[in-house]
Amino acid sequence: MKKNLPATPRDRYWRSLEDMAQTEEFRRFVENEFPEGTLEMSSLSRRSFLSLMGASLALAGLAGCRRPVEKIIPYVGAPEDILPGIPLYYASALPLGLDVRGVVVENHEGRPTKLEGNELHPSSGGKADVWTQAAILGLYDPDRSQRPVHFGQEMRWSDFYGVWEQFRQDLRAHQGSGVAFLSSSSNSPTLIRLRQEILSTYPQARWFTTEPVSDHAIRQGVRQATRKRVQPRYSFDKARVILSLDADFLLTERDAVRNAAGFARGRRVETEQDEMNRLYVVESSLTVTGGMADNRYRIPSSLIGAFTAELVYQLQFLGLELPVVEAVLDYRNSGLDQKWIQEVAIDLIQNQKRSLVVAGRHQPPQVHALVAAINDALWNTGETVQYYGTDDFLLDAPESLSQLKQALHSGEVETVVLLDTNPVYTDSGTSPFREALRQAKHSYHLGLYRDETGAACEWHVPLAHPLEMWGDARDIDGTVSIIQPQIRPLFEAPSSLEVLARLLDPNRTSGHEEVRATFRAHFSPSEAVWNRALHDGVVPDSTVDPVPVKIRHPRLIAAVRGNPFPFPAQVQDQLECLFRVSPSVYDGRFANNGWLQELPDPVTKLSWDNALLISRHLAETYGLERGDVAEVSVGGRSLELPVWIVPGQADRTLTLELGYGRTAAGRIGNGVGVNVYPLYAELGPLYSGPVRLRKTGQRLTLACTQDHHGLDTEKLAREAIQKRLPAIYREATLEEYRRNPDFVEEAVEHPPLKSLWEEPDYSQGPQWGMSIDLTVCTGCNACTIACQSENNIPIVGKEQVERGREMHWMRLDRYYRGDFDDPEMVIEPVACQQCENAPCEQVCPVGATSHTPDGLNAMAYNRCVGTRYCSNNCPYKVRRFNFYNYTKDTPEIVKMAMNPEVTVRFRGVMEKCTYCVQRINRVKIDSKNEHRAIRDGEIKTACEQTCPTDAIVFGDIRDPESRVSRV
Ligand code: SF4
């Protein structure tokens, strides 16, 4: 590839280095919309495909199947509160670590089918991320454990409860001596209350907490600076200037949905008077946040400390009062770009009270302490950053797991109860949790899956999914939400609250009663307030005030001096390893979710795999190419991963994504990617030091969507396309827009257009249209999963993705611009454009795709004969073909996740975005019944509804007052 790369990028926008080098693989994709091997499936891939779909039933030949005939059974006596076909909505909440996502759940005939953000919840504000959207598939996962298991043997629930009662009596007899509990961190007031009850009833028992990906360093740093146990919450909407120090605050850091919404509010430009915030990002590995930066500075993550020290110095030099500077003078680095840092410092000072500095959770506490001091000196505390107390949370601490392991090895702990954590997978360093666990006489694992830890324990006990249970969760600002069950537990599993309550009293078996008891004691005894909390999804008046903080400079100086920065200040030759959560499967807990596994990474566009992300220069130094398997060794430990070259990556940074290489996740997640926890457990989230990188000589094919759906560049002449781009893709800076707000219309001069076709009449009724604001779209992927959930879009598996057959109706094209090694990144969501004279309609021989009077390019699936002419003729490449009957072997339980308002497509049928026509029709019917016009904003497509940044606006483009006409 290297020899074919031009010296500098010759195009304004490019998709990949392979695009620039015009490699054979790239040209194969863009020149052939339906790559070879389309009609046959090897027996091996067929087998893995079927196991992916959860097949366990009849394996009749895929090619020979017919449309199934199914019976339906009507209600004999209809339930009072359910009208068939009319969904009901209930508020609830989903915890993720210490985060809470307030949700509204759509239920069809007692079956949850779709999640949306709850507008009344402060973290969601009506929006949702990929994990929230994909939770519905997790609920119906057939690989969730269904029965208690004792030493590998399935047991009855009554057997387990008998053993649990005996355990309770033993606890009582020995005051809890020799017993330990291990849980994740928690924001549940009821779980925290039960924990306290257990520890006071059985005073010898011990409770440990662990979290593989933690904000502990942030809390510790803020504590060093303020002497208070607090955690920060940011108001990005109020910040005019933002500096991110290696923090992917728009996607993978805590509170990302709220952060993204606030950031977009400060960035959106709808009139010439609007201001736009300015984002500076310093990072090593290109993230979604880095992609949004106005100015991005690429340095190794281990130099962020030195950068922060330099920033402190510059701010002090420019007149800001920062006494801590004396503690960091030795940590400055003259090799960093002083001018860049100085400009940031000036911008921050000019925007005091309206600026914000944030640092990534993998940075050491010293960096977070300095960040707190900088924000305070800039008068940002109380304006763009608030601090909230942590006393009401059960927090993880890094030493907690080591203490438990020690206690197990020494015999102090003989019985261990593991609550919904998987340390056998996540703690697999040189002193793995698995070995400590072997020392326990009795072990109980409670969890959704019989995962790696469940399989290593004496007992595994299934737990209820958050959509099946009663619970509660507290947000950073104190807002409490009640988690209410949307469906009776599918496998009769209890919640962790119910299992724990039984340890206090065998008659305490109701999760509902436990949550009510907490509610009565801490919030209100009133039934009306309880009902309101259930209805709204938030407990009234539960929000608390921020804690006032003051920077204690002497103490901060002593803390920084007493705890030297863990990384050297000067640039070294040594490599660094940066571990981060996957934007798809997070820390591995979502590994068995097919929607998330197939979801292309927002930056690399890899699907179904993780890889070792490195820069082009590092790859050349070690003779590595994309897909080569490399060995990474640190100390005595090594890992082998396929290499992926990422523009924008710092030259000595190796980025490794957590959450892959599971062995007991389930049929979807087992064996996907490489488990990097063995190194993570040893090195922590960021390591700089002696790392050995070696090419193994092996290669691995990775499924990557970045070059899919391109156009035939050979025939259409690449240069000509590039010349036409400014007319197609019209862009301007804020100043240019202010000078000429009509630049979009004026960029191209059209002669009067003469249509080849008989023009439909677009002057009547609503004409539906969609606008996507590329200034605020971050590429978070939430719209893709929301669309998948709403429209019953199947997953197809890695092999099919490799062939360009992914079925997503909403794809996110990621482009680079500028330097090969340090480019800008632009995201463009692309769904069906619902063209007026749609080229696909002109060529369909059977009229399966045609135009509706309200401007939709509709598909009649049962007319489609699968010629694929429409897809050939589509200039946006947004049509998706069902090469196989992808849903044929879907287990019954997974079918429960499907939206009954949307047809499930069959083999040989073309499909594409419909603008969620079922939602349009629902509102049309309602408005007709109420004899009124459809209100602007009343119809929300699934992608629009979830989009955290409100980038997507749908509506009637014929109405000049509609929001879509105005943006
Ligand atoms: S348009 Fe899609 S990718 Fe862009 S911010 Fe909205 S949800 Fe995320």
Side-chain angles (χ1 to χ4, degrees), residues 128 251 260 772-774 776-784 786 810 812 827-829 943-944 946-952:
L251 190 64
I772 304 182
D773 186 346
L774 301 189
V776 294
C777 169
T778 61
C780 73
N781 270 332
C783 51
T784 304
M810 172 66 96
L812 296 179
I827 302 288
E828 185 182 39
C943 55
E944 177 190 28
T946 203
C947 175
T949 62
D950 261 331
I952 302 177

